[in-house]
Amino acid sequence: MRKLSILLGIFLIICVISAQAINFSRVNVAWQYDVNFDVRMMHRVAKSEEGNIVFLKILSDSLSGWEFEFLVQDGYESETHRVIQLSDVDTLVKVEGQVLIKASLPNIEENLLVIKFFKPDKFFYYDISLKMGSLSYPSVYPVNENGIPILENYINRSGHTWVGNESFLAMQYEDAFLPADPPMADMKPLAPQVNLDSSFVFDREANFKENYFYTVRKDSFASVGVTLLSTPPYFPEYRKLVELIESMFYLMSEQEKKSILKSKNPKQSFDSFWMNTYATKSRARNAIRKYYNLIERSNKLFTDFKPGWKSDRGMMYIVFGTPDEVYRTENSEEWYYDDGAAFEFTIISTFFAPKTYSLRRNKDLEEKWFTQIAAMRQGI
């Protein structure tokens, strides 16, 4: 594997001290939720003896047109940051429009790695937390059949293995989560409440059941692990009727939900809903295509221990679309839309995910919610 020092010439790395950090509460990072943006990034962090290992994938049709800097700072609202030089970096994948690197970071005091990428007339930031709340990341992580780290929070293929220990403990939980509650519903506990289905020890390779999620740790003494959702091979897309019906509940009234769940012919009820709502076959087909594209995108963006469309952010993304502005702090994330809609998510660290985003629900959001649903049903 070649060192990053010769990685396409796309990384501009300078070792200096900066007097002003990036205050994410004032920086719009909405590009991270725009699947049509020119640059997409994904990452995974693993603990090493020397510090952290950061796996970073960058996808872009114009990769060579961007320059990159790596910065570290204490947190999302720090006063200073450092531009650092990455001296121990391997290029794991280099194909057209995509590069995957493995960067070894020594023990550093700062908790946030920031990637600045820019052209002469614009710049953007991508943030990577170097701790799971107050804890370090686990040293274990999954790789595919070619030994390339899996950066998604889901497994939908066979042949993956685990590295970081000689054996591993898997804790299995059923994905029995319901769709997210609407924004005017009562607030629920932030941490998910689930029951352990089973646990087992395996050596490098394990068979994970579909529609379960797993937390994998080195052993029973480890305080942190990696959580992955086991999905069908076509995920983040949905194809089965039961998946299609469940994921359309955000569009439906309570009576419509009860009717389709009790139906003796779900396929007929599914077709009838879309035809009755959109009047013609062409409009219904167009609405189905657009809606399930939103479901697929939310699964790509927001899946953690449950499918992305069931998460609070996934729900708001499906109903309100890509936010026009996103501002982030250590404990919250705010979404703003040009039409005046605004939503806040509380960020907490849980046993299952380094960051769990919970929508701050409010009774005052009821009118805006139903207005948006009505607009979708009139012309999605």
Side-chain angles (χ1 to χ4, degrees):
M1 300 177 184
R2 296 181 299 168
K3 294 294 182 182
L4 186 64
S5 57
I6 57 171
L7 176 60
L8 303 178
I10 67 170
F11 288 97
L12 176 65
I13 304 174
I14 311 170
C15 189
V16 298
I17 301 295
S18 175
Q20 186 174 1
I22 296 94
N23 185 339
F24 278 84
S25 67
R26 301 176 183 174
V27 175
N28 182 9
V29 292
W31 72 270
Q32 295 185 20
Y33 299 146
D34 183 357
V35 296
N36 296 315
F37 191 76
D38 182 51
V39 177
R40 295 293 307 149
M41 292 191 189
M42 300 177 63
H43 73 273
R44 180 175 294 282
V45 181
K47 184 67 177 174
S48 68
E49 293 183 0
E50 295 77 20
N52 281 318
I53 300 172
V54 176
F55 300 103
L56 175 67
K57 181 188 292 186
I58 306 173
L59 304 98
S60 174
D61 292 333
S62 58
L63 194 58
S64 60
W66 295 93
E67 295 184 272
F68 294 77
E69 287 182 346
F70 294 84
L71 325 170
V72 288
Q73 58 187 59
D74 290 335
Y76 283 85
E77 298 175 275
S78 301
E79 296 182 356
T80 62
H81 72 231
R82 294 186 296 144
V83 181
I84 63 170
Q85 182 175 3
L86 301 180
S87 58
D88 186 8
V89 181
D90 289 336
T91 304
L92 304 182
V93 175
K94 174 185 168 293
V95 295
E96 183 68 27
Q98 179 184 146
V99 62
L100 172 62
I101 65 170
K102 173 185 176 183
S104 297
L105 297 180
N107 283 310
I108 56 178
E109 295 181 358
E110 294 88 348
N111 295 324
L112 189 67
L113 173 66
V114 180
I115 300 161
K116 177 182 178 181
F117 60 104
F118 54 94
K119 293 182 177 181
D121 59 338
K122 62 185 70 174
F123 61 88
F124 303 90
Y125 296 109
Y126 184 76
D127 51 303
I128 300 176
S129 296
L130 297 177
K131 287 189 175 181
M132 300 173 62
S134 61
L135 300 176
S136 298
Y137 278 87
S139 59
V140 302
Y141 56 90
V143 298
N144 65 20
E145 60 274 13
N146 297 317
I148 301 301
I150 296 172
L151 306 189
E152 295 86 356
N153 292 323
Y154 56 88
I155 295 282
N156 62 357
R157 69 201 83 179
S158 60
H160 73 277
T161 58
W162 290 77
V163 299
N165 205 38
E166 294 182 357
S167 63
F168 305 85
L169 172 65
M171 304 176 72
Q172 176 180 294
Y173 305 84
E174 185 177 4
D175 171 24
F177 294 101
L178 297 174
D181 292 329
M184 61 284 188
D186 293 333
M187 286 291 293
K188 293 182 178 180
L190 297 183
Q193 302 293 317
V194 294
N195 295 319
L196 177 65
D197 183 82
S198 64
S199 62
F200 55 91
V201 175
F202 66 95
D203 298 328
R204 288 184 56 81
E205 187 172 357
N207 293 318
F208 289 169
K209 297 180 181 179
E210 287 184 12
N211 302 317
Y212 286 80
F213 69 95
Y214 296 81
T215 296
V216 177
R217 299 185 290 174
K218 291 177 63 174
D219 51 45
S220 59
F221 298 103
S223 57
V224 292
V226 174
T227 299
L228 295 174
L229 179 68
S230 182
T231 69
Y234 47 80
F235 189 87
E237 182 184 354
Y238 276 158
R239 297 178 184 176
K240 292 181 179 179
L241 181 61
V242 65
E243 299 166 338
L244 299 175
I245 289 176
E246 184 186 26
S247 57
M248 65 197 246
F249 280 2
Y250 295 138
L251 278 180
M252 306 177 80
S253 67
E254 290 302 318
Q255 184 58 43
E256 288 169 333
K257 294 176 189 176
K258 292 177 182 179
S259 177
I260 200 169
L261 289 173
K262 294 179 180 179
S263 175
K264 295 181 179 179
N265 190 334
K267 177 62 168 65
Q268 184 179 44
S269 297
F270 174 86
D271 293 338
S272 295
F273 169 82
W274 291 100
M275 277 297 298
N276 293 338
T277 303
Y278 295 98
T280 68
K281 287 185 178 180
S282 61
R283 291 188 71 232
R285 281 196 296 266
N286 188 54
I288 290 171
R289 178 182 57 81
K290 288 185 177 180
Y291 185 76
Y292 289 105
N293 277 343
L294 289 171
I295 295 294
E296 181 178 355
R297 290 179 182 182
S298 65
N299 283 340
K300 286 181 180 179
L301 291 170
F302 305 118
T303 294
D304 43 33
F305 49 85
K306 58 184 173 181
W309 77 269
K310 291 185 178 181
S311 69
D312 284 357
R313 288 186 300 169
M315 172 183 64
M316 304 310 287
Y317 179 89
I318 291 165
V319 175
F320 287 87
T322 305
D324 296 298
E325 298 178 44
V326 173
Y327 301 97
R328 192 172 293 147
T329 68
E330 211 80 45
N331 302 310
S332 67
E333 183 171 290
E334 297 177 351
W335 289 16
Y336 296 93
Y337 293 83
D338 289 344
D339 66 359
F343 307 101
E344 183 179 359
F345 302 87
T346 298
I347 303 174
I348 62 170
S349 180
T350 71
F351 179 79
F352 302 111
K355 292 185 177 182
T356 298
Y357 293 74
S358 179
L359 176 67
R360 285 188 176 272
R361 288 167 168 80
N362 189 322
K363 297 291 185 183
D364 294 339
L365 295 173
E366 183 171 11
E367 182 179 355
K368 186 173 291 293
W369 171 263
F370 285 119
T371 298
Q372 188 67 19
I373 295 297
M376 293 180 72
R377 291 184 59 140
Q378 290 172 5
I380 191 171

